[in-house]
């Protein structure tokens, strides 16, 4: 039955077909007990599942924090390594360029060539090459007791 927006909703109340003053008199005692047991069991299952999921979430949060700490630690180690490695490389390249400039001023082509070759060799190499096998680095990062020596 459709009503217009200005009319209130109207309908007919249908009884359960049994005599009595209400629905409660028409339900058998066992049906009510079964309904109550279903509610209690459902609630207990829900509460148990909710607690299990909270525990899983807590474990995931702990794992996430632990992994992020490992990443942050690795980042700090790598930054320190690069800072030291590039400082050493800068010192070496500065010295080689000074030797190159001095060789050019003297007109010493062989010494200039050797100094320039040294700069090229430094440019070709990566500080990561000195670290070795990256798998070993990962294993060291996973080992909380590993001591990093730079």
């Amino acid at each position: 039955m459709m009503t217009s927006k200005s009319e209130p909703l109207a309908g007919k109340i249908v009884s359960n077909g049994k005599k009595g003053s209400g629905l409660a008199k028409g339900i058998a005692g066992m049906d009510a007990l079964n309904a109550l047991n279903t509610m209690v069991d459902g609630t207990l299952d829900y509460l148990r599942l909710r607690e299990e999921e909270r525990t899983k979430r807590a474990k995931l949060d702990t794992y996430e924090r632990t992994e992020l700490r490992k990443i942050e630690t690795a980042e700090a180690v790598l930054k320190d390594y690069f800072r030291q490695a590039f400082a050493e490389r800068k010192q070496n390249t500065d010295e080689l360029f000074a030797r190159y400039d001095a060789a050019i001023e003297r007109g010493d082509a062989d010494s200039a060539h050797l100094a320039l070759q040294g700069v090229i060799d430094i440019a070709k190499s990566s500080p990561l090459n000195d670290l070795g096998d990256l798998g070993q680095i990962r294993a060291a990062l996973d080992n909380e007791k590993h001591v990093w020596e730079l």
Side-chain angles (χ1 to χ4, degrees):
M1 164 158 96
M2 300 279 293
T3 61
S4 71
K5 290 185 180 182
S6 63
E7 293 180 36
L9 292 176
K12 180 179 176 186
I13 298 176
V14 179
S15 84
N16 64 358
K18 296 188 179 184
K19 288 191 174 188
S21 62
L23 188 59
K25 286 188 175 182
I27 297 177
M30 283 304 283
D31 290 340
L33 183 59
N34 286 338
L36 178 60
N37 284 333
T38 300
M39 285 179 59
V40 169
D41 291 344
T43 301
L44 292 175
D45 287 345
Y46 163 75
L47 293 173
R48 183 185 61 12
L49 180 62
R50 184 179 71 173
E51 188 58 34
E52 286 174 6
E53 294 303 318
R54 283 182 177 170
T55 301
K56 287 179 188 176
R57 170 59 25 211
K59 286 179 182 179
L60 285 173
D61 289 345
T62 300
Y63 175 77
E64 177 186 28
R65 285 191 304 274
T66 301
E67 288 302 308
L68 285 174
R69 267 190 249 115
K70 284 181 183 179
I71 291 168
E72 290 166 356
T73 301
E75 178 184 12
V77 168
L78 192 57
K79 280 181 177 179
D80 285 344
Y81 173 78
F82 278 135
R83 211 177 346 264
Q84 291 177 8
F86 283 109
E88 181 182 320
R89 288 166 66 96
K90 181 186 179 324
Q91 180 181 354
N92 289 340
T93 54
D94 287 349
E95 178 64 31
L96 287 168
F97 277 120
R99 288 182 185 184
Y100 174 80
D101 290 341
I104 293 295
E105 285 180 24
R106 287 191 316 270
D108 184 354
D110 289 337
S111 294
H113 177 264
L114 288 173
L116 190 56
Q117 187 61 48
V119 170
I120 291 169
D121 290 344
I122 288 174
K124 284 181 184 178
S125 70
S126 167
L128 290 176
N129 288 342
D130 297 335
L131 291 177
D133 181 14
L134 292 178
Q136 291 176 349
I137 294 170
R138 176 62 191 179
L141 287 172
D142 287 338
N143 181 358
E144 296 175 4
K145 295 180 182 178
H146 182 80
V147 176
W148 291 91
E149 294 180 29
L150 298 175

